[in-house]
Amino acid sequence: VTQPILAVALNAALDITYYLDEIAWHGTNRPAQVIERAGGKGINVAHVLRELGAQPVVLGFVGGVTGGMIRGELAGAGIDDRLIETAGESRRTVAVVERAHGDATLFVEPGPRISDQEWDRLLAAYGRALPGVGAVTISGGIPPGVPSGAYARLLTLAAEAGVPSVLDSESAALRRGLGGRPTVAKPNRVELEELLGRPLPAIGDLLDAARELRDQGAESVVVSMGAEGMLAVTPQGTWKVVPPEKLSGNPTGAGDAAAAALALSLAERTPWPGRLVEAAALSMAAVRAPVAGTFDEAAYANYRERLRAEPLP
Ligand SMILES: Nc1ncnc2c1ncn2[C@@H]1O[C@H](COP(=O)(O)OP(=O)(O)OP(=O)(O)O)[C@@H](O)[C@H]1O
Ligand SMILES: [Mg+2]
């Protein structure tokens, strides 16, 4: 039996989705359907892991009435919740999906400010959880009030405990997190371009960029390229997986599914390039599912069979 996987979700949210035909700006809108779900990248990872039959443990911050709703949803999904209560109110995100355009507009609240004492409580809970887990994922941004070196600290503690880790973040949180020596960093193309401050149009540019991230501390780097697939630059070799077809669906959360698959592969000690195939197959199956944090099981089984990792020089 694989050990539980710790999903760090400092920025947990209640994701609200309004479905309507077309948004009337400056008018009154009456959504035809409303869906509320716990979200944020770390929680998406936990949802996907649970659906895979793994045992995710969620660690992060929640507060207020919204925090209670997040916890209720996680309990319903059978996810082990070690969330720390904060004095502030948990954040919400609102997505307005317009059926006429098949498009969404997103509103994202910043979330509550975390106090030094609350951060210390999280660090203590993290230290208690680490010895029993098979892998750690660290996803998303760092909430207001949390020290900017937080991810490097969490990743260093994981490495010291012998627990492999996946870092899926952007901007300063990604840059500083690399110093904590994650086992795998998973930027998408845009995150990599922003981090290095230059466009990365060709596969060769992305490979060079991934090597720079390895120099900055990541043991391996997986670059996700949306419909173009995924690259892995690892100590064991370099591989590419290309989707057999361009998928239509909901790409939001596909990267989170990739992070979940990478963490599970690390916990199960699957070697490269199998980890990359798992991440690509699960993320593509996530595109085929309408809600972030879920995937299409038939599609997953199908892609696992069909996808091949192509070695690159
Ligand atoms: N349109 C698509 N067709 C086929 N595969 C896709 C498509 N979009 C995404 N994928 C798969 O999902 C993976 C992750 O997608 P992407 O690079 O968009 O991640 P991301 O931007 O980190 O996503 P998010 O952060 O919203 O979860 C890709 O590497 C690919 O395997
Ligand atoms: Mg992402």
Side-chain angles (χ1 to χ4, degrees):
V1 182
T2 311
Q3 288 174 297
I5 293 170
L6 185 56
V8 174
L10 299 189
N11 238 331
L14 186 70
D15 286 342
I16 302 164
T17 309
Y18 286 159
Y19 294 89
L20 40 81
D21 286 333
E22 192 162 17
I23 197 163
W25 293 104
H26 316 294
T28 302
N29 292 279
R30 302 184 195 282
Q33 194 188 1
V34 179
I35 293 183
E36 292 187 346
R37 202 166 188 268
K41 289 181 168 302
I43 297 225
N44 289 346
V45 168
H47 273 132
V48 168
L49 286 168
R50 188 73 200 106
E51 202 174 330
L52 281 169
Q55 286 180 66
V57 177
V58 173
L59 186 58
F61 298 105
V62 284
V65 176
T66 309
M69 292 170 78
I70 293 171
R71 301 193 97 145
E73 201 270 347
L74 292 175
I79 292 172
D80 186 351
D81 148 12
R82 313 250 178 106
L83 293 160
I84 307 291
E85 288 285 340
T86 65
E89 182 81 19
S90 280
R91 72 191 181 116
R92 292 160 300 183
T93 75
V94 178
V96 181
V97 178
E98 291 174 273
R99 293 198 166 113
H101 304 285
D103 227 343
T105 304
L106 198 58
F107 300 85
V108 178
E109 297 181 5
R113 186 167 195 88
I114 306 301
S115 70
D116 292 348
Q117 293 86 331
E118 289 166 345
W119 173 241
D120 287 345
R121 237 178 282 149
L122 184 131
L123 274 178
Y126 183 81
R128 281 194 298 276
L130 262 188
V133 303
V136 173
T137 64
I138 296 189
S139 309
I142 296 181
V146 172
S148 59
Y151 284 175
R153 177 97 185 264
L154 295 176
L155 290 162
T156 302
L157 290 168
E160 285 169 3
V163 176
S165 56
V166 178
L167 173 63
D168 179 5
S169 192
E170 59 183 347
S171 314
L174 170 58
R175 177 178 293 111
R176 300 225 29 201
L178 292 170
R181 304 201 154 269
T183 314
V184 182
K186 194 227 71 72
N188 64 28
R189 177 180 235 143
V190 173
E191 289 159 354
L192 207 48
E193 289 178 336
E194 277 174 8
L195 188 75
L196 298 177
R198 60 177 197 261
L200 303 167
I203 296 286
D205 302 317
L206 291 167
L207 292 177
D208 289 342
R211 289 184 187 112
E212 285 177 49
L213 262 59
R214 290 197 60 211
D215 292 340
Q216 289 175 38
E219 183 181 294
S220 296
V221 178
V222 169
V223 183
S224 68
M225 309 178 291
E228 289 174 62
M230 230 175 244
L231 303 171
V233 178
T234 83
Q236 282 72 44
T238 299
W239 291 272
K240 177 170 115 174
V241 174
V242 178
E245 65 234 0
K246 185 181 191 306
L247 302 175
S248 59
N250 173 19
T252 309
D256 305 331
L262 290 167
L264 190 58
S265 300
L266 288 169
E268 292 181 337
R269 300 192 158 71
T270 308
W272 297 107
R275 287 176 199 164
L276 179 65
V277 171
E278 281 293 322
L282 193 62
S283 60
M284 290 176 64
V287 175
R288 298 302 297 159
V291 181
T294 65
F295 61 91
D296 181 313
E297 287 185 27
Y300 175 49
N302 177 276
Y303 294 133
R304 275 181 108 181
E305 286 293 314
R306 279 164 69 202
L307 292 179
R308 293 282 173 270
E310 175 196 329
L312 300 175

